[in-house]
Amino acid sequence: MNNKLQIYNTLSRSKVLFEPIAPPHVGLYVCGPTVYGDAHLGHARSAIAFDIVFRYLMHLGYKVRYVRNITDVGHLENDADEGEDKVAVIARLEKLEPMEVVKYYTDRYHKDMDMLNVLHPSIEPTASGHIIEQIEVVKTILENGYAYEADGSVYFDVDKYNADYPYGKLSGRKVEELLQTTRELAGQKEKKNSFDFALWKKADDRHIMRWPSPWSDGFPGWHMECSAMSVKYLGDHFDIHGGGMDLLFPHHESEIAQSNAAHGHESVKYWMHNNMITIDGQKMGKSLNNFITLQEFFNGEHEALQQAYSPMTIRFFMLQAHYRSTLDFSNEALYAAEKGMAKLMQSQQLLHDLQASPRSSVDIKPYGERLYEAMNDDFNTPITIAHLFDLSKLINQVNDGKAQLSQEDIQTIQTWFKTFLFDILGLQEEAQGDNDQLVDDLMQTLLDLRQQAKANKDYATADSIREALGKLNIQIKDTKEGAKWSVS
RNA sequence: GGUACCGUGGCCGAGUGGCUAGGCGCUGGUCUGCAAAACCAUGUACAGCGGUUCGAAUCCGCUCGGUACCUCCA
């Protein structure tokens, strides 16, 4: 087991050596989507970033339990109907049962993630399925004196908590400063302080999603589900908790507070946060209404898109930037990713029929070491990809007779591609359409015709065949071994 | 206003003191009937100003510009 993995811990704002609490087991919890709309590029970022973490940890030999929740209870909607649940708002608009909305978008989310080749988490708990667990945590926090009840709702007493534990340690905030900056929000009158947050909220009459509790018919507070479910499945002290940077405050900060208040200690050893996707320099997000859904990327149907981009192009695009950097969306960048990935895939395929030499003209060992170094450096996928491009160049040079590789080295490189490109980065060759025998035979017929035309120097016919196929997105390449075709 | 972060060649994007990042694009060459692909060649980029240092894109200060969080958001 490789023990050189460095992870950037948001808590310490530095890279630290990853040392699991109970090796070989690793507990990984990631904040999943709120299922009230289609997944967009930002959701993909988070899912892919932690898919890489999951995949690499498994590759290193750890036994990982990966928990990613589905938020189906919804959090408070502050602007419009106060105290109303996000999922409930949509449900009423569409005249559907809330759970119908939840099911619909959960299914679509799963489908999108499958297309992006994101592995399924080990456990995918829903907030609505863990109301009892959440109530238990609220009870414990009340018993420990860090919360108070007001008119059927329960609030976390930040002031009281802050006397015993530093509130704001994750996000670098201070309670005194929060006092001056917090705005007027729903339920303000019931709170002792503006920065107190709800652990349990009483539902008003119109609120359809509600559950009984010792305090009122209502629903759990914003941050409760992750605290309750992470601990339930990973224990009250686990390794990694991840999520988007926009969840840092108040969501994750409050989770830390809830852990201390409930268990007397923090639950999370390493906090990881992925950065945002930007569009025109601005965060792509639900609230700004500037998002492009994954389905729109896949079919190209959005005014900002010049073409469709395949799921693997999206994935490759993401991985060419480090997960902690913002990544700016543009057609040019996506196009570059598409071309770059095709190049990698092609040289990887070339490996299979590469001419081996008695001995290699280069020492390939350093290439492999660099691949691991890159991944060990806080999952630096852009560097990993850069090294794969170096290998790609080497392969092409061998193919051109400008370098030599032994059979043994060719096999080693094949293993590296399988391990890093496919297993760890999770890329896959795009489906070549319905590639059945009939298509193969038809294509061979066409290529034979074109070859005959070429032999007769009837280039007009040869080119017209190529052009006609080009319009069907079929590319012809003349190689030493004859013409080859591929679907883009 | 508070907190955190960023500003790299045409585009995207690594890199935190000295060693070619990488991809895409552009241009020229090799190959090809022509293409495509590939290979070879090609860009003295680090917001500005000052400082530390033998040496800074990289450290420090200031200025300018931008973003995120402080409200649900991946």
Side-chain angles (χ1 to χ4, degrees):
Chain A
M1 203 172 293
N2 202 319
N3 196 29
K4 289 177 187 162
L5 175 62
Q6 300 264 331
I7 291 184
Y8 183 91
N9 192 345
T10 310
L11 261 183
S12 62
R13 309 246 166 210
S14 61
K15 285 182 203 166
V16 291
L17 185 67
F18 176 64
E19 295 172 299
I21 295 164
H25 299 283
V26 173
L28 171 64
Y29 187 92
V30 173
C31 292
T34 305
V35 280
Y36 68 116
D38 277 331
H40 58 71
L41 204 56
H43 294 97
R45 181 116 205 237
S46 176
I48 290 171
F50 291 103
D51 188 47
I52 298 295
V53 172
F54 185 35
R55 285 168 180 270
Y56 192 55
L57 287 172
M58 287 196 294
H59 172 75
L60 293 180
Y62 293 114
K63 299 198 184 321
V64 187
R65 179 178 289 170
Y66 176 20
V67 181
R68 187 183 64 204
N69 67 301
I70 294 278
T71 298
D72 58 351
V73 166
H75 298 313
L76 295 174
E77 190 86 352
N78 284 293
D79 40 4
D81 314 80
E82 60 172 51
E84 187 153 22
D85 195 286
K86 237 178 214 172
V87 174
V89 171
I90 302 273
R92 196 158 48 224
L93 284 176
E94 300 186 358
K95 298 236 188 327
L96 293 166
E97 272 298 317
M99 289 316 272
E100 203 175 348
V101 176
V102 163
K103 167 74 173 152
Y104 177 79
Y105 286 116
T106 300
D107 283 353
R108 288 175 67 89
Y109 178 76
H110 285 154
K111 193 179 155 218
D112 287 343
M113 292 307 122
D114 282 347
M115 289 184 80
L116 290 168
N117 200 24
V118 169
L119 295 177
H120 297 194
S122 326
I123 301 177
E124 193 170 44
T126 59
S128 65
H130 295 75
I131 300 295
I132 291 167
E133 287 84 348
Q134 297 183 66
I135 289 174
E136 288 306 309
V137 178
V138 178
K139 276 186 192 167
T140 309
I141 294 176
L142 268 171
E143 281 163 20
N144 292 346
Y146 292 108
Y148 55 91
E149 190 186 341
D151 190 30
S153 293
V154 181
Y155 294 98
F156 192 89
D157 193 335
V158 173
D159 227 11
K160 175 91 191 301
Y161 171 84
N162 195 48
D164 301 335
Y165 303 93
Y167 183 77
K169 64 178 287 189
L170 183 67
S171 57
R173 268 158 239 271
K174 294 192 170 63
V175 167
E176 309 85 65
E177 287 161 358
L178 286 172
L179 253 185
Q180 298 156 2
T181 56
T182 309
R183 300 187 200 177
E184 289 296 310
L185 296 173
Q188 203 78 288
K189 327 109 216 173
E190 297 160 6
K191 292 187 197 174
K192 286 191 197 166
N193 280 301
S194 56
F195 45 66
D196 288 350
F197 53 90
L199 299 180
W200 185 265
K201 199 91 172 80
K202 184 166 110 176
D204 63 30
D205 296 340
R206 296 183 310 161
H207 208 278
I208 10 186
M209 286 189 118
R210 54 167 69 209
W211 292 266
S213 80
W215 315 286
S216 64
D217 273 12
F219 50 94
W222 315 351
H223 318 300
M224 210 62 236
E225 62 179 279
C226 292
S227 288
M229 299 191 295
S230 61
V231 165
K232 168 159 182 169
Y233 296 111
L234 300 175
D236 64 13
H237 193 205
F238 60 94
D239 298 292
I240 303 173
H241 187 133
M245 254 178 202
D246 47 358
L247 298 177
L248 225 153
F249 189 91
H251 188 57
H252 292 158
E253 195 68 72
S254 302
E255 276 188 54
I256 290 180
Q258 288 172 166
S259 283
N260 278 325
H263 314 298
H265 61 81
E266 289 178 34
S267 297
V268 178
K269 188 167 180 186
Y270 304 96
W271 283 95
M272 293 181 69
H273 291 94
N274 64 277
N275 215 135
M276 303 293 109
I277 298 283
T278 59
I279 177 165
D280 297 325
Q282 264 202 324
K283 171 185 164 183
M284 183 181 283
K286 200 91 185 158
S287 51
L288 288 164
N289 209 33
N290 62 352
F291 61 92
I292 304 175
T293 68
L294 290 168
Q295 281 303 320
E296 286 167 337
F297 275 101
F298 300 159
N299 60 34
E301 285 168 14
H302 187 282
E303 57 178 8
L305 300 177
Q306 283 163 10
Q307 60 169 89
Y309 299 98
S310 72
M312 283 305 111
T313 298
I314 299 291
R315 187 173 177 109
F316 190 77
F317 171 66
M318 300 272 182
L319 297 178
Q320 272 198 300
H322 187 86
Y323 75 91
R324 278 190 292 109
S325 301
T326 55
L327 174 59
D328 200 49
F329 153 82
S330 72
N331 280 284
E332 250 184 314
L334 244 6
Y335 176 75
E338 183 180 274
K339 300 283 280 186
M341 186 179 63
K343 184 178 182 174
L344 271 187
M345 288 300 177
Q346 268 167 26
S347 49
Q348 179 272 330
Q349 278 182 331
L350 257 183
L351 265 176
H352 296 294
D353 32 41
L354 210 56
Q355 195 73 37
S357 301
R359 64 176 59 204
S360 297
S361 59
V362 287
D363 179 16
I364 63 160
K365 206 181 293 171
Y367 288 89
E369 289 162 4
R370 284 184 212 128
L371 289 167
Y372 278 102
E373 276 170 25
M375 286 307 294
N376 282 337
D377 184 13
D378 194 29
F379 310 95
N380 199 325
T381 55
I383 295 289
T384 306
I385 289 172
H387 293 325
L388 289 173
F389 273 117
D390 289 341
L391 281 168
S392 163
K393 186 166 190 166
L394 177 60
I395 293 164
N396 288 327
Q397 282 173 334
V398 172
N399 191 237
D400 273 22
K402 287 174 177 154
Q404 287 79 46
L405 283 173
S406 66
Q407 190 56 43
E408 192 190 352
D409 282 353
I410 289 173
Q411 277 166 4
T412 303
I413 293 173
Q414 275 177 352
T415 309
W416 288 339
F417 268 90
K418 189 199 170 293
T419 302
F420 284 89
L421 191 64
F422 299 125
D423 294 349
I424 295 173
L425 297 181
L427 293 161
Q428 53 192 185
E429 305 199 46
E430 310 260 36
Q432 295 268 308
D434 294 323
N435 211 350
D436 58 21
Q437 194 58 46
L438 179 64
V439 172
D440 281 347
D441 292 349
L442 283 170
M443 280 307 300
Q444 200 49 55
T445 307
L446 282 166
L447 292 179
D448 287 347
L449 278 171
R450 180 165 169 271
Q451 191 51 47
Q452 276 176 30
K454 280 175 69 177
N456 296 331
K457 295 205 189 292
D458 178 6
Y459 297 121
T461 303
D463 289 349
S464 76
I465 291 172
R466 187 169 60 195
E467 278 166 31
L469 290 172
K471 283 177 186 164
L472 302 173
N473 285 330
I474 297 169
Q475 278 74 48
I476 304 297
K477 285 180 209 160
D478 289 325
T479 70
K480 281 175 221 150
E481 297 83 39
K484 290 187 174 172
W485 66 281
S486 60
V487 184
S488 67

